[in-house]
Amino acid sequence: MSRPLVPGLLAESTTDVRFLGHVVHRQLRASTEKGSRHVVDVQRTETGDCWTIKDAGRVGRAVLELAADCHLICVHNDHNERGKAEAVVKLLADRGLTTPVIPLVPVRETEAWLLADRAVWAGLRGSDHGRVPARPRDVEKLQDPKPVLDAVRPQSSRRHVADYFDYIGQNIDLEALAQVPAYAAWVAETEEALKGLGYL
């Protein structure tokens, strides 16, 4: 008999949700498959209806709503909002929320993480994967990853740019992504939360 695990996610925008929703689900599956003593049924990532660019109070209320259905919740912010995720975690801890709330914060922007796996871009006809940094960890050195992502993605495709967030989220090599220090830190914190919940 399997034990369900429902992750929750609040993010800054639709494209962040389209990428991170898949990545959170896949990473939780990978973590529980390698480390759990029993079968864990990681369910689809639930997403809140509040973008994390809103004030900490509104984001906190959205986390509380998700907590009714989720076992752990990730709160995403880019670097310019770095302190907000931590503020939300503290606010909810002060209110007695026991559901783990884990900040999910890239060094700069989520778009950098989409560039961590050169091979996934090489598999897309028309992409300029030569512009992807040679080492996954180097994506965090990109001062502005958005124009790099725009240059890498196929230009002749009829796909909307947001479709690539879905595709890369579903197909990026998690081992390559784990070489990105900010992502690895999120994985470590998430696995600690899973241990506290008895999943690992």
Side-chain angles (χ1 to χ4, degrees):
M1 190 159 137
S2 64
R3 182 180 174 194
L5 171 58
V6 183
L9 171 67
L10 288 174
E12 285 195 351
S13 70
T14 302
T15 52
D16 293 320
V17 166
R18 290 179 75 167
F19 173 69
L20 294 171
H22 294 300
V23 168
V24 167
H25 177 260
R26 291 179 59 216
Q27 185 61 61
L28 290 173
R29 277 184 41 205
S31 294
T32 55
E33 283 172 5
K34 75 172 184 192
S36 183
R37 296 180 302 276
H38 44 265
V39 177
V40 178
D41 178 18
V42 180
Q43 312 225 337
R44 182 179 64 87
T45 305
E46 297 290 330
T47 56
D49 57 1
C50 171
W51 301 128
T52 57
I53 56 173
K54 303 294 185 187
D55 64 85
R58 286 180 68 178
V59 174
R61 288 191 294 276
V63 170
L64 288 171
E65 287 178 22
L66 273 178
D69 300 313
C70 299
H71 296 97
L72 61 82
I73 300 165
C74 300
V75 177
H76 161 261
N77 281 111
D78 284 338
H79 72 102
N80 56 337
E81 295 276 343
R82 180 170 299 279
K84 187 182 289 181
E86 285 87 358
V88 168
V89 170
K90 182 178 181 329
L91 174 77
L92 294 170
D94 292 346
R95 291 188 184 173
L97 180 68
T98 57
T99 303
V101 180
I102 305 159
L104 179 54
V105 184
V107 164
R108 298 209 182 279
E109 296 169 328
T110 309
E111 284 81 0
W113 288 4
L114 276 80
L115 299 167
D117 179 10
R118 182 178 281 201
V120 77
W121 288 104
L124 280 172
R125 189 168 39 156
S127 71
D128 187 359
H129 59 276
R131 299 184 92 164
V132 174
R135 298 184 312 164
R137 68 181 300 109
D138 290 342
V139 299
E140 292 192 336
K141 296 177 182 174
L142 295 171
Q143 292 300 311
D144 190 355
K146 286 179 181 170
V148 179
L149 179 62
D150 283 340
V152 167
R153 70 178 176 84
Q155 302 302 309
S156 59
S157 173
R158 291 189 176 134
R159 281 182 166 180
H160 187 274
V161 66
D163 294 335
Y164 292 103
F165 283 74
D166 269 322
Y167 177 81
I168 301 301
Q170 292 167 349
N171 294 285
I172 194 167
D173 181 352
L174 295 178
E175 290 185 14
L177 197 50
Q179 294 175 50
V180 178
Y183 184 82
W186 170 75
V187 171
E189 188 170 353
T190 300
E191 290 184 348
E192 281 303 308
L194 292 172
K195 288 175 187 173
L197 293 167
Y199 285 98
L200 294 182

